[in-house]
Amino acid sequence: TTRFESAPEILIINFKRTGHDRESGKLFKIHNLVGLQQFFYLSGELVLTRKGAKYRLESFNTHLGSGPSEGHYVHYRNTP
């Protein structure tokens, strides 16, 4: 488990969305959906100061394409 010394002001999360085929040695894209919510809570259990934090989803990137070596990245931003 990763623990923070204190809750960061800005939290950036990266989801690894590729896998590795051991037989062929090739990378493949993971297609299952990741659900996003407007707010994310960092539990105090993950912070050494025991003071958690609340974050608002501001933006995210996604990859449009059938595999990791083809396609385009698209950025979506939450506007007030």
Side-chain angles (χ1 to χ4, degrees), residues 19-56:
H20 181 260
D21 185 306
R22 291 183 185 196
E23 290 183 23
S24 69
K26 294 182 179 182
L27 290 177
F28 61 89
K29 183 176 177 179
I30 299 172
H31 291 277
N32 59 326
L33 297 177
V34 174
L36 299 174
Q37 297 181 2
Q38 185 175 3
F39 292 98
F40 173 82
Y41 299 92
L42 181 65
S43 168
E45 295 175 5
L46 299 176
V47 183
L48 295 178
T49 61
R50 293 296 194 208
K51 184 177 179 185
K54 179 180 177 181
Y55 297 93
R56 180 175 176 261

Side-chain angles (χ1 to χ4, degrees), residues 5 11-14 24 26-27 29 34 43-44 47-48 50 56 58 62 64 66-67 73-75 78 80:
E5 191 171 315
L11 183 65
I12 299 172
I13 300 172
N14 182 36
S24 69
K26 294 182 179 182
L27 290 177
K29 183 176 177 179
V34 174
S43 168
V47 183
L48 295 178
R50 293 296 194 208
R56 180 175 176 261
E58 293 291 334
T62 189
L64 303 176
S66 60
Y73 286 93
V74 180
H75 180 80
N78 192 3

